[in-house]
Amino acid sequence: MENGSSPLLNPRKSPRQERSIATVDAIFEATIQVLSSDGLIGLNTTRVARRAGVSVGTLYQYYPNKQALLFAVLERHLVALAAAIEKACDENLTAKADELAEAVVKAYLRAQMAQAEVSPALYRISLELDARALIDMATRRSVAAIGAALASASDAQFADPHLVAQTLTAALFGTVPAFCHRVLAPADGREAEKQLTIMFRSYLAAHQSGVCGS
Amino acid sequence: MENGSSPLLNPRKSPRQERSIATVDAIFEATIQVLSSDGLIGLNTTRVARRAGVSVGTLYQYYPNKQALLFAVLERHLVALAAAIEKACDENLTAKADELAEAVVKAYLRAQMAQAEVSPALYRISLELDARALIDMATRRSVAAIGAALASASDAQFADPHLVAQTLTAALFGTVPAFCHRVLAPADGREAEKQLTIMFRSYLAAHQSGVCGS
Amino acid sequence: MENGSSPLLNPRKSPRQERSIATVDAIFEATIQVLSSDGLIGLNTTRVARRAGVSVGTLYQYYPNKQALLFAVLERHLVALAAAIEKACDENLTAKADELAEAVVKAYLRAQMAQAEVSPALYRISLELDARALIDMATRRSVAAIGAALASASDAQFADPHLVAQTLTAALFGTVPAFCHRVLAPADGREAEKQLTIMFRSYLAAHQSGVCGS
Amino acid sequence: MENGSSPLLNPRKSPRQERSIATVDAIFEATIQVLSSDGLIGLNTTRVARRAGVSVGTLYQYYPNKQALLFAVLERHLVALAAAIEKACDENLTAKADELAEAVVKAYLRAQMAQAEVSPALYRISLELDARALIDMATRRSVAAIGAALASASDAQFADPHLVAQTLTAALFGTVPAFCHRVLAPADGREAEKQLTIMFRSYLAAHQSGVCGS
DNA sequence: GATGAATGAGGGTTCATTCAT
DNA sequence: GATGAATGAACCCTCATTCAT
């Protein structure tokens, strides 16, 4: 599931490998920094290497090409988002639909905000062709987790939990960037969370109460 | 037929001008085609010119630079979206909130689908720095139109129509791309419309019934 | 001596030709204006045509190419300079060397100042390869005129009037631009004239008094 | 050997740096060669790079753009001229005015001739807009040095040494190019030096003897 | 004659990637 | 392993010149 470019997370063995790990991390962090300060367009391998304090050559020893670098960053972001949603769902497996809605929205926004610096740039990356697999992975995990939570909700029956989960996921992954950066003022994070929660709750309620014919 | 950058919507005068118009249009359409087939990264002025059947020089006679080209395309798209929403709102000024929700969702999705070819690429453009003004324009128009319609809805009172309008706009402009291209399969346009409508309706209902403390 | 591109100065015959003349003049003046305001680098045929109020095509009907345009301007300038010097020399054929020096310096500076706007740009042109013929023409005329005046000066005998004339011409054509635009402040035209006169007078005096062995 | 843009006049350290130095020098020399053979108009970065035996990319690693390249060449030339004049003045601080005149003329011509290949092209560069600072630097140094030497001349008092120094500088920097390349034949270097010296000597004499009213 | 749209070679510049040291 | 100088394809853009109308 990881691509060859992220030798992260593996058990470290020797000092040599430790240094390698440190280097990879430095490059990784430098990428995020450059992304934040110069944007996707201003990002080039030389600049990343310089910011990481290594030479371009070294960069290419750990990441086969520029794409791999960006994928690694995007991957970590999406994995974090998916994990946050899964965690929220797991912790609310038998809760009420209302609570689930609130928990999921909160968890997603927390994770999103934690990387607020990069996320706009990441969305640019994610729209470039080959990131689909990554995005699919994240949304699939989200849909699965939310779907499972909906199916086991203590106070409601959903005719099609999967469809509802899909809609909520789409609203989350799609709405939030627009929410954060365009329509609502930057400081309105609180309000965004509140409104999203209301929207999700009432949407779920509608699905429970048979308002919709499906 | 109309494009934002040509001041030429008037009765044609000379063969000279007709030729110009044809050329601008050809370039404009070529840009959309290249965007669809090669993506934003694969788009370069030479390629656009070739596809338009003109020389690079000609391209630069009508668009001062590459950005201007992309802006023109994006502008047309966003203007179309905003206009569609405004029209839907105007036609439902004194309708019920439910009907408004349905009309807005439908109008937006119609407009979006009409340019389904380009819209993914357009979202890439819109994330590049200087498109903010364009996006702001479109979302402002949407917020204003929806806000006005909510304020004059026949069956409901909204404590803060502007905030609700903002949320709906964010959900529309943010959700739909994700909806259309990632989570739901391409053919699911119908379903997307249905779910979005439910979400909007119930969200509006929640705001009417005082469920939310605001 | 005129090259084919300047049909100026010929007797006009028909209204058609008069219009032509007006057009050539307009283009000619436009060239000077663009040269003054945008410099040699900022000068292109389209801009000149626009400033002249004609189309590029028309421009190319009167001047076969860009070079011809610039040559025409440079030619007029250099012809004016040479004529001014010749006139001053003719009017001082039997005067004293001192008076000749003064008259030549004054005449040259007057002519130069009259076209102060363009002359810096003209010097750029003149340094491009093919202007040598033009410059040679002007300096040859200057050398011939000054040489003749020196040879017939009422108060002095010059061992080699031609050599002296060459030196003075070189000093004139070379010094003045530097004088006007770099070393002396712009307002120092008076002072420049005074110093140049002193230099010329004393140089001539040196040649008369046998200070120099030649 | 020294060029203005390289901060590398220090003891060589690594093969890395030595290679860099060799490359910068190669590019620098190639620029001069191309300038000599193809002129300013025929000079483009590709051609320079090819002549230097490197790729364009390499060229841009050492000079941020084409201008910088030309500036570097012009700067070296002007610095050399200014230095030559300063040296001549320093060595004749308490000499007679006559000797000073001779020394300065000789020094300037020596320096000029040493780079005879490029100087015509350099004068083209120097007329492009942003070279003023460079030229001002050189003429200021010349004026200052000559002024000081005049003020301390053993056999003369000058009412306004600065003005005289300005005039001589203008005559030097302005006359010589015309001298060398236009009016006098190339081989006449000797004669040019002789005449210029006479002109300078007599001009200085005129200022000493009170001929001029200033 | 006049027009100005069209041409396209050519120039400056960038940057992902390689490889000798 | 690390370095960073070198590479060169590719891109954006300009402008002298032509030619159909």
Side-chain angles (χ1 to χ4, degrees):
Chain A
M1 85 222 161
E2 253 98 354
N3 55 351
S5 65
S6 65
L8 288 166
L9 304 177
N10 302 328
R12 58 200 59 135
K13 293 178 182 168
S14 71
R16 183 149 308 163
Q17 287 200 7
E18 273 187 45
R19 182 139 78 104
S20 289
I21 292 174
T23 303
V24 194
D25 284 356
I27 295 171
F28 188 89
E29 293 303 329
T31 307
I32 290 179
Q33 286 174 33
V34 172
L35 223 38
S36 303
S37 61
D38 303 69
L40 182 57
I41 282 187
L43 181 147
N44 58 264
T45 52
T46 312
R47 191 151 17 207
V48 168
R50 192 165 44 235
R51 184 96 60 135
V54 301
S55 67
V56 226
T58 300
L59 186 155
Y60 274 86
Q61 212 137 42
Y62 292 104
Y63 295 91
N65 51 45
K66 192 183 166 184
Q67 283 248 17
L69 203 55
L70 297 175
F71 269 39
V73 176
L74 179 60
E75 184 184 29
R76 184 168 86 174
H77 181 68
L78 291 176
V79 164
L81 288 186
I85 292 174
E86 283 173 341
K87 181 155 172 284
C89 289
D90 283 354
E91 293 174 354
N92 289 275
L93 264 183
T94 55
K96 299 179 185 169
D98 261 19
E99 292 166 0
L100 176 67
E102 191 177 339
V104 166
V105 168
K106 183 182 290 181
Y108 179 81
L109 288 180
R110 289 280 175 286
Q112 190 71 263
M113 295 303 165
Q115 308 209 8
E117 283 294 86
V118 246
S119 69
L122 290 178
Y123 279 87
R124 274 163 231 162
I125 301 175
S126 70
L127 287 168
E128 299 307 327
L129 230 47
D130 300 342
R132 296 194 184 185
L134 249 38
I135 293 180
D136 286 351
M137 170 274 293
T139 51
R140 249 197 305 271
R141 284 174 62 179
S142 171
V143 169
I146 296 179
L150 289 176
S152 65
S154 64
D155 66 338
Q157 282 294 100
F158 291 89
D160 187 348
H162 185 71
L163 174 62
V164 177
Q166 272 186 141
T167 305
L168 293 183
T169 297
L172 268 186
F173 280 76
T175 306
V176 173
F179 240 109
C180 299
H181 307 297
R182 300 267 161 263
V183 181
L184 294 180
D188 288 346
R190 286 282 136 187
E191 194 58 52
E193 182 174 338
K194 197 164 146 192
Q195 296 300 323
L196 248 194
T197 302
I198 294 171
M199 183 181 274
F200 276 34
R201 275 189 183 156
S202 56
Y203 175 67
L204 293 182
H207 268 278
Q208 298 165 53
S209 62
V211 163
C212 44
S214 76
Chain B
M1 303 321 108
E2 84 226 29
N3 62 324
S5 65
S6 88
L8 303 166
L9 303 170
N10 306 325
R12 58 202 62 121
K13 293 177 184 169
S14 71
R16 208 55 58 71
Q17 288 194 9
E18 271 187 48
R19 182 141 71 114
S20 285
I21 293 174
T23 304
V24 195
D25 285 355
I27 295 171
F28 188 88
E29 294 303 329
T31 307
I32 292 179
Q33 286 173 33
V34 173
L35 222 38
S36 304
S37 61
D38 303 63
L40 182 57
I41 282 188
L43 182 147
N44 61 262
T45 53
T46 313
R47 185 131 47 191
V48 168
R50 190 162 45 234
R51 181 95 61 135
V54 300
S55 66
V56 225
T58 298
L59 185 155
Y60 278 90
Q61 209 147 41
Y62 296 101
Y63 297 91
N65 50 48
K66 191 184 166 184
Q67 282 245 19
L69 204 56
L70 298 175
F71 270 39
V73 177
L74 179 59
E75 186 183 27
R76 185 167 85 174
H77 182 68
L78 290 177
V79 164
L81 289 186
I85 292 175
E86 282 173 342
K87 182 156 171 286
C89 290
D90 283 353
E91 292 173 354
N92 288 276
L93 263 184
T94 54
K96 297 182 187 167
D98 261 21
E99 293 165 2
L100 176 67
E102 190 176 342
V104 166
V105 167
K106 183 182 292 180
Y108 179 81
L109 288 179
R110 291 279 173 287
Q112 190 71 264
M113 294 303 167
Q115 309 207 8
E117 281 295 86
V118 243
S119 70
L122 289 178
Y123 280 87
R124 274 163 231 163
I125 299 176
S126 69
L127 287 168
E128 301 304 325
L129 228 48
D130 298 341
R132 297 193 182 186
L134 250 38
I135 294 180
D136 285 351
M137 172 274 294
T139 51
R140 251 198 303 270
R141 283 175 63 178
S142 171
V143 169
I146 296 179
L150 289 177
S152 66
S154 64
D155 67 335
Q157 283 294 98
F158 291 89
D160 188 347
H162 186 71
L163 175 61
V164 177
Q166 274 186 141
T167 305
L168 294 182
T169 297
L172 269 185
F173 281 77
T175 306
V176 174
F179 237 109
C180 299
H181 307 298
R182 301 266 163 265
V183 181
L184 293 179
D188 288 346
R190 284 284 137 187
E191 195 57 53
E193 182 174 337
K194 196 163 148 195
Q195 296 303 320
L196 247 195
T197 302
I198 294 170
M199 183 181 275
F200 276 34
R201 274 189 183 155
S202 56
Y203 175 65
L204 293 182
H207 267 277
Q208 298 165 52
S209 62
V211 164
C212 44
S214 74
Chain C
M1 90 217 162
E2 253 99 355
N3 55 350
S5 64
S6 67
L8 287 165
L9 304 176
N10 302 330
R12 59 198 59 134
K13 292 178 184 169
S14 71
R16 182 150 309 164
Q17 287 200 7
E18 271 187 47
R19 183 140 77 103
S20 290
I21 292 173
T23 304
V24 193
D25 284 356
I27 295 171
F28 188 89
E29 292 303 330
T31 308
I32 291 179
Q33 285 174 34
V34 172
L35 223 37
S36 304
S37 61
D38 304 69
L40 181 57
I41 283 189
L43 182 147
N44 59 264
T45 52
T46 312
R47 187 145 28 200
V48 169
R50 191 164 46 233
R51 183 95 61 136
V54 300
S55 67
V56 226
T58 300
L59 186 154
Y60 274 86
Q61 213 138 40
Y62 293 105
Y63 295 90
N65 51 45
K66 191 185 169 184
Q67 282 249 16
L69 203 56
L70 296 175
F71 269 38
V73 177
L74 179 59
E75 184 184 30
R76 185 167 87 173
H77 182 69
L78 291 176
V79 164
L81 288 186
I85 292 175
E86 282 173 343
K87 182 156 171 285
C89 288
D90 283 353
E91 291 174 354
N92 288 276
L93 263 184
T94 56
K96 297 181 187 166
D98 262 19
E99 294 165 0
L100 177 66
E102 192 177 341
V104 167
V105 166
K106 185 182 291 178
Y108 179 81
L109 288 179
R110 289 281 175 285
Q112 190 71 262
M113 295 301 166
Q115 308 207 9
E117 283 293 85
V118 245
S119 69
L122 289 178
Y123 279 85
R124 274 163 232 162
I125 300 175
S126 70
L127 287 167
E128 300 306 327
L129 229 48
D130 300 340
R132 296 192 184 186
L134 251 37
I135 293 180
D136 286 351
M137 171 274 294
T139 52
R140 250 198 303 271
R141 283 174 63 178
S142 171
V143 168
I146 296 179
L150 288 177
S152 67
S154 64
D155 68 337
Q157 281 297 98
F158 292 89
D160 188 348
H162 186 71
L163 176 60
V164 177
Q166 274 186 143
T167 306
L168 293 183
T169 296
L172 268 185
F173 280 77
T175 307
V176 174
F179 240 108
C180 298
H181 306 297
R182 301 267 159 265
V183 180
L184 292 181
D188 288 347
R190 285 284 136 186
E191 195 58 53
E193 182 175 336
K194 196 164 146 193
Q195 296 302 321
L196 248 194
T197 303
I198 294 170
M199 187 180 274
F200 276 34
R201 274 188 185 156
S202 56
Y203 175 66
L204 293 182
H207 268 279
Q208 297 164 53
S209 62
V211 164
C212 45
S214 73
Chain D
M1 305 325 113
E2 82 226 28
N3 61 326
S5 64
S6 87
L8 304 167
L9 303 169
N10 305 327
R12 58 202 61 121
K13 293 179 186 168
S14 71
R16 209 55 59 69
Q17 289 194 8
E18 271 187 48
R19 180 140 74 115
S20 284
I21 293 175
T23 304
V24 194
D25 284 355
I27 295 170
F28 188 88
E29 294 303 329
T31 308
I32 292 179
Q33 285 175 33
V34 172
L35 223 38
S36 304
S37 61
D38 303 63
L40 182 56
I41 282 189
L43 181 148
N44 60 264
T45 52
T46 314
R47 184 129 52 189
V48 169
R50 190 161 46 231
R51 183 94 60 133
V54 300
S55 67
V56 226
T58 298
L59 186 156
Y60 277 89
Q61 209 147 42
Y62 294 101
Y63 296 91
N65 49 47
K66 191 184 166 183
Q67 281 245 21
L69 203 55
L70 297 174
F71 269 39
V73 177
L74 179 59
E75 186 184 28
R76 184 166 87 173
H77 182 68
L78 291 176
V79 164
L81 289 187
I85 292 175
E86 282 174 343
K87 182 154 171 286
C89 290
D90 282 353
E91 292 174 353
N92 288 275
L93 264 184
T94 56
K96 298 181 189 169
D98 261 20
E99 293 164 1
L100 176 66
E102 192 177 339
V104 166
V105 167
K106 183 181 292 179
Y108 180 81
L109 288 179
R110 290 278 175 287
Q112 190 71 264
M113 294 304 166
Q115 309 207 7
E117 282 293 87
V118 245
S119 69
L122 290 178
Y123 280 87
R124 275 164 231 161
I125 300 175
S126 69
L127 287 168
E128 302 304 328
L129 229 47
D130 298 340
R132 296 194 183 187
L134 249 38
I135 294 180
D136 285 351
M137 172 274 294
T139 52
R140 248 198 305 271
R141 283 175 62 177
S142 171
V143 169
I146 297 179
L150 288 177
S152 66
S154 64
D155 66 336
Q157 284 294 99
F158 292 89
D160 188 347
H162 187 70
L163 176 61
V164 177
Q166 275 186 139
T167 306
L168 293 183
T169 297
L172 269 185
F173 280 78
T175 307
V176 174
F179 239 110
C180 299
H181 308 296
R182 301 268 162 261
V183 181
L184 294 180
D188 287 348
R190 286 283 137 186
E191 197 56 54
E193 182 175 336
K194 197 164 146 192
Q195 296 301 322
L196 248 195
T197 302
I198 294 170
M199 186 179 274
F200 275 34
R201 273 189 185 157
S202 56
Y203 174 66
L204 293 182
H207 267 278
Q208 297 165 54
S209 62
V211 163
C212 46
S214 75

